[in-house]
Amino acid sequence: MRVGIIGLLHESNTFLSRTTTFADFESVTLLTGNTICEQFARGLHELGGFVDGLASHSGTIETVPLLVARALPSGTVETACWNRLLEMMLDQLEAAGPLDGILVAPHGATVSEEFPDADGHWLSVIRRRVGPDVPLIGTIDPHANLSPQMLSACDALLAYRTNPHLDQRERGLEAAELMVRTLRKEIRPTMAAAFPPLAINIERQMTQEAPLSELSKYADAQKQRPGMLSNSIVLGFPYADVPEMGSATIAVTDNDPELARKLADELAGQIWNRREELKGRMIDIETALDRCQELPGPVCLLDMGDNVGGGSAADGTFLAHALHRRKDLTSFVCLFDPDAVQKASAAGVGSTMKMSVGGKSDDLHGEPLTAEFRVRSLHEGRFRETQVRHGGFSEFDQGPTAIVETESGLTIMLTSRRMVPFSLQQLLSCEIDPKKFQVIVAKGVNAPLAAYQEVCPHFLRVNTPGSTCADLHALEYRFRRWPLYPLEESAEWSTNDV
């Protein structure tokens, strides 16, 4: 039996003015054919789980890798880019010949200029092409905005169960095993979903912290019930302003649609009953810095408004300005600023000069920080992470990198490419000892915890402005679901509404 593999992964932040182009995919991951297996085999991503899961059944299953396209979280995908990706996908599908099943890896929060529900669109295109009898089974990021179109196109979808996302490979292996069992006629996956009118604040989305930890335990227990194949809590992605925005639940049973509906509703009811606890708790910048003076360091300040993993600019300066003004906290900040990297490189290690850094991508993330900087070191910007970390990738390249310092005790890493703070090797590879700082700023919300908890005894999520601001009331929505609690406090829901 022949099983295809397709991955198209992009988290689209519609509040960004810059769109995502085909070059953005080319610069990260754009693979076809056997190079997919070569790159992902034994890897930590769900695509590695697909490849290795099918390979364990190589006597009866032939793996047919088709297309994997991935770009860093960024703005809406341009129409020309989207059309080109779809054309590549269909060309690969046509060349592959008949398939018995397809493992798919959409992100679930991809938005193109023409198709707000871009994942639902490409999955439906594949479904129409292969017909109703070829099983489509796949994984989604829990930061998906699940849609009825995604559900109708697929036989089963499994969301990662952890945030930070540390179980991507496991979910890929699980999806592959479901596919094999389906093709052997051992099971017949049947899927249902529930859509409570709820936006779970990203500040509350750590699966090891209450209330999500309790809800995750409930989901784990529910998954053990007879007839249940899988279930998922879909957290939603609030920075994609689309009609599908918001939370959801999924239940997959063995040919029992009534049970699937019942269990999806039941899980959604548990989440809805905890909705008050799922509202964000906001700490402003000055309060956070005051607490940093009281806590044993390093204290990791999570810059929620400049969350690179949510598509933000990576050059937000609100915290950098505040730390520079304080002058009483040794601190570290990373900023995307290729122009400043070039100037520091031209000046050379040991030189001192006046520069303006950060705050150059747009007008949402603060003004550039102008100060006297000493160039401490220069680096190529490549590093490797050997541990399981959020995102499931091990190789990183942030481009030429400069480490500069001010007399106020602020150390800034300047990068030539936007870099998500998923690995401590980002610092260690540049000869930076994170334990020497009282404050480390990580431009994320929950994802950095997997790496930084090795050195930081305390984390504070800071309500900074920006394109990923955690205060949803500060975002100007036009197309989202309505009503959504807590944006509309009067929102009501029961499983009878589904």
Side-chain angles (χ1 to χ4, degrees):
M1 292 175 285
R2 307 179 74 240
V3 178
I5 293 178
I6 301 175
L8 202 171
L9 300 115
H10 187 255
E11 194 172 58
S12 306
N13 187 323
T14 63
F15 294 99
L16 299 174
S17 57
R18 181 189 177 278
T19 55
T20 299
T21 67
F22 193 76
D24 293 314
F25 286 90
E26 289 181 304
S27 67
V28 179
T29 306
L30 188 61
L31 302 172
T32 58
N34 290 329
T35 54
I36 294 171
C37 294
E38 294 168 5
Q39 177 155 325
F40 285 96
R42 297 174 297 283
L44 302 175
H45 195 269
E46 62 260 40
L47 289 160
F50 288 176
V51 170
D52 295 340
L54 295 180
S56 67
H57 297 278
S58 58
T60 55
I61 298 290
E62 177 189 351
T63 303
V64 187
L66 301 173
L67 171 73
V68 172
R70 172 180 169 264
L72 284 182
S74 47
T76 301
V77 180
E78 285 186 352
T79 296
C81 170
W82 186 251
N83 290 341
R84 192 170 174 185
L85 291 171
L86 264 291
E87 182 180 359
M88 289 182 65
M89 186 184 298
L90 293 176
D91 285 347
Q92 291 295 314
L93 188 62
E94 182 71 23
L99 297 172
D100 298 287
I102 303 178
L103 287 171
V104 292
H107 178 281
T110 307
V111 180
S112 77
E113 290 178 322
E114 186 175 357
F115 299 102
D117 178 17
D119 290 299
H121 173 244
W122 77 259
L123 291 169
S124 296
V125 168
I126 297 300
R127 171 55 73 198
R128 289 193 296 271
R129 183 61 61 96
V130 301
D133 299 325
V134 175
L136 267 62
I137 296 174
T139 55
I140 57 172
D141 192 298
H143 294 106
N145 290 320
L146 188 68
S147 73
Q149 193 175 21
M150 295 180 210
L151 293 164
S152 63
C154 296
D155 294 86
L157 289 170
L158 292 65
Y160 320 148
R161 304 182 81 81
T162 62
N163 190 32
H165 307 327
L166 305 179
D167 65 326
Q168 290 174 249
R169 176 178 172 81
E170 286 74 12
R171 298 290 74 74
L173 289 168
E174 183 181 359
E177 190 62 25
L178 281 178
M179 176 63 75
V180 171
R181 294 181 65 197
T182 300
L183 293 178
R184 289 176 175 172
K185 310 297 184 184
E186 297 173 3
I187 57 172
R188 184 178 178 182
T190 305
M191 181 165 55
F195 298 88
L198 173 64
I200 300 174
N201 194 283
I202 196 166
E203 192 271 338
R204 299 276 84 196
Q205 289 187 11
M206 172 69 167
T207 51
Q208 293 178 346
E209 297 176 358
L212 208 55
S213 56
E214 286 91 349
L215 292 169
S216 297
K217 289 177 182 177
Y218 185 92
D220 290 343
Q222 187 191 63
K223 189 179 177 183
Q224 304 307 313
R225 296 190 192 180
M228 183 70 136
L229 297 177
S230 175
N231 66 358
S232 300
I233 296 174
V234 185
L235 303 168
F237 185 62
Y239 309 114
D241 182 15
V242 294
E244 296 78 21
M245 185 195 120
S247 62
T249 59
I250 301 173
V252 182
T253 61
D254 183 8
N255 197 26
D256 192 337
E258 202 171 299
L259 179 63
R261 169 61 63 193
K262 176 180 180 295
L263 294 179
D265 288 350
E266 184 181 285
L267 183 55
Q270 291 292 320
I271 297 171
W272 180 252
N273 290 340
R274 307 289 292 269
R275 63 190 180 278
E276 180 71 24
E277 300 170 71
L278 293 167
K279 295 168 65 174
R281 301 174 184 175
M282 303 302 157
I283 302 176
D284 61 59
I285 291 174
E286 295 304 323
T287 300
L289 295 187
D290 288 342
R291 292 184 63 181
C292 287
Q293 292 177 317
E294 304 166 356
L295 296 170
V299 179
C300 185
L301 295 183
L302 295 156
D303 188 352
M304 296 197 292
D306 194 20
N307 174 10
V308 188
S312 194
D315 69 347
T317 57
F318 290 107
L319 282 169
H321 275 289
L323 288 164
H324 184 59
R325 287 193 301 268
R326 288 265 179 147
K327 300 181 181 181
D328 56 355
L329 292 167
T330 56
S331 53
F332 170 86
V333 178
C334 179
L335 297 174
F336 164 64
D337 193 332
D339 178 64
V341 172
Q342 289 184 353
K343 290 179 180 178
S345 299
V349 175
S351 61
T352 300
M353 63 178 148
K354 188 174 184 178
M355 280 197 305
S356 295
V357 301
K360 299 173 184 176
S361 294
D362 52 41
D363 58 0
L364 300 175
H365 300 90
E367 296 293 327
L369 171 62
T370 302
E372 290 285 335
F373 293 97
R374 184 181 76 85
V375 181
R376 171 175 159 179
S377 59
L378 301 169
H379 307 271
E380 65 174 8
R382 293 187 180 91
F383 56 95
R384 177 176 175 79
E385 175 58 67
T386 60
Q387 304 298 313
V388 179
R389 293 291 182 257
H390 183 100
F393 287 91
S394 301
E395 302 289 340
F396 299 89
D397 183 0
Q398 63 187 20
T401 299
I403 309 301
V404 299
E405 302 171 324
T406 70
E407 292 184 354
S408 66
L410 175 63
T411 297
I412 297 181
M413 172 183 284
L414 300 168
T415 70
S416 299
R417 295 182 178 181
R418 292 166 60 237
M419 179 51 58
V420 290
F422 293 170
S423 172
L424 268 184
Q425 293 301 319
Q426 182 183 15
L427 279 63
L428 299 174
S429 65
C430 293
E431 302 172 357
I432 293 176
D433 181 359
K435 295 180 181 178
K436 291 185 177 180
F437 298 101
Q438 176 62 18
V439 175
I440 296 175
V441 174
K443 292 183 176 295
V445 182
N446 298 298
L449 271 69
Y452 285 80
Q453 62 188 1
E454 291 185 8
V455 296
C456 296
H458 296 282
F459 292 83
L460 298 175
R461 297 180 178 90
V462 189
N463 182 33
T464 50
S467 58
T468 57
C469 180
D471 183 0
L472 301 186
H473 293 279
L475 299 173
E476 295 184 8
Y477 291 105
R478 298 170 57 201
F479 305 109
R480 66 167 174 86
R481 250 201 279 174
W482 190 96
L484 278 181
Y485 182 90
L487 290 165
E488 285 77 43
E489 292 275 350
S490 60
E492 297 180 353
W493 181 79
S494 72
T495 55
N496 294 325
D497 296 330
V498 178

